[in-house]
Amino acid sequence: METGFALDPSKLGKADPIQPDETEEMTSLKARARKELSVTPKIEQKYGGENRFYERFLLARDNDVEKALKLMKKCLSIRESLKVDAELSKQEQEAEEEVFSRIKPYWPLEFWGFGKDGSTILFGKLKNIKPKKFVDTFEVNEIKRFYVHFVHEGNELQKHSNSPSMRQTEEGKWKRQIEVFDLNGISTKQLHMKGLKILKEVLGLGQHLFPENVERTYMLNAPWFFSGAWNIVKHALDKETQKKSCDI
């Protein structure tokens, strides 16, 4: 890794990522999404740029335009229900920032910069999770909004990892996120059923909101009892995402 510390994406400045080549399916999806779903350039940029936005949904649905449009509709519906893109008043923004600042100490995940191939690295020591206290302290929608905000920070990093300064060539697929979760030290006390159900719900949210975001997930030092928790959580993930996870 190029960095061995938590990285703040906001300090990297603006990135202008190289966009995937536009395909026939992408052109079709773009035209329909802008007409039928009122997709705006602002939303496209939040997902990596114009072509990358449409590529995500097509890859997640095997280049089937109709299915990709359906997934996109679900994504935008969730964003609207959580008021992700709503214009907040100064008072509302300050209130949300205060909630996020209280959630952050409970959040075990941090962006650690970029790997050798330029992929973004997300790292977390899961022994630091206190599921019961977490779900008893915050509302589910507060956790969901924080999660969406956090993943968008990762998207900003992906823009940098796909910018001309970090890509040797304009060819090649989009560099996505590598996730590394260290399970050393976790205990059965952390297998809190309500907490696991909310985690499953949040991960399911990510499947609809951020398709094709992850390249690979590594789980380090998994104890014998972890399989029980994983069997509960993994059903929120589609089969392709499950295939990207492995124990080391």
Side-chain angles (χ1 to χ4, degrees):
M1 297 181 190
E2 292 185 8
T3 64
F5 51 87
L7 181 64
D8 182 356
S10 66
K11 296 181 179 179
L12 291 176
K14 187 177 180 180
D16 185 20
I18 297 170
Q19 293 297 299
D21 291 335
E22 185 162 339
T23 64
E24 184 178 335
E25 293 84 2
M26 202 182 294
T27 301
S28 176
L29 179 60
K30 186 187 302 184
R32 291 191 60 185
R34 288 177 172 176
K35 181 179 180 180
E36 298 174 29
L37 304 180
S38 300
V39 169
T40 65
K42 185 176 180 180
I43 287 289
E44 294 169 352
Q45 290 305 313
K46 287 184 177 181
Y47 283 80
E50 183 178 331
N51 286 2
R52 173 57 182 161
F53 174 71
Y54 297 101
E55 181 188 57
R56 282 175 177 265
F57 291 89
L58 286 167
L59 289 175
R61 292 299 181 264
D62 297 321
N63 268 345
D64 186 309
V65 173
E66 202 65 46
K67 291 181 179 179
L69 190 71
K70 185 177 179 180
L71 177 59
M72 192 179 294
K73 184 177 181 179
K74 178 70 172 177
C75 166
L76 296 175
S77 175
I78 294 172
R79 295 183 72 91
E80 184 177 5
S81 69
L82 292 174
K83 299 181 179 179
V84 174
D85 304 301
E87 292 291 334
L88 301 180
S89 67
K90 183 179 180 181
Q91 185 177 4
E92 289 172 328
Q93 189 173 355
E94 289 174 350
E96 180 160 274
E97 289 173 355
E98 190 274 331
V99 171
F100 286 0
S101 69
R102 288 191 292 111
I103 290 178
K104 196 169 183 179
Y106 292 88
W107 195 252
L109 309 180
E110 294 179 314
F111 296 108
W112 271 35
F114 308 98
K116 289 183 178 179
D117 69 342
S119 298
T120 58
I121 306 295
L122 177 68
F123 179 76
K125 288 190 175 184
L126 301 194
K127 72 175 184 179
N128 297 327
I129 292 180
K130 297 179 175 62
K132 185 178 187 305
K133 193 171 183 180
F134 191 40
V135 299
D136 288 346
T137 304
F138 303 102
E139 298 291 333
V140 175
N141 268 11
E142 290 176 337
I143 297 171
K144 288 181 178 180
R145 283 180 63 84
F146 177 86
Y147 169 75
V148 173
H149 172 78
F150 182 80
V151 178
H152 272 308
E153 285 190 333
N155 284 348
E156 289 302 311
L157 285 179
Q158 284 189 34
K159 289 182 186 179
H160 283 277
S161 65
N162 287 279
S163 63
S165 62
M166 294 190 69
R167 286 262 291 264
Q168 298 301 317
T169 172
E170 293 193 7
E171 298 177 357
K173 68 177 184 178
W174 183 273
K175 294 178 183 178
R176 293 177 284 184
Q177 184 168 281
I178 303 293
E179 299 178 337
V180 183
F181 302 142
D182 185 0
L183 286 81
N184 184 45
I186 69 169
S187 69
T188 54
K189 291 181 180 179
Q190 291 171 285
L191 303 184
H192 182 255
M193 189 54 66
K194 183 180 178 182
L196 288 175
K197 286 182 178 179
I198 290 178
L199 176 60
K200 179 181 177 181
E201 191 176 339
V202 170
L203 289 176
L205 191 73
Q207 292 288 286
H208 292 108
L209 284 178
F210 304 103
E212 293 299 314
N213 208 47
V214 176
E215 181 68 34
R216 194 73 172 164
T217 299
Y218 297 97
M219 299 184 188
L220 313 180
N221 306 310
W224 63 270
F225 57 81
F226 176 72
S227 59
W230 177 241
N231 284 334
I232 294 173
V233 172
K234 74 178 184 181
H235 294 296
L237 310 176
D238 60 43
K239 291 182 179 180
E240 288 303 311
T241 302
Q242 291 183 35
K243 290 177 183 178
K244 295 175 183 178
S245 302
C246 66
D247 298 339
I248 296 181

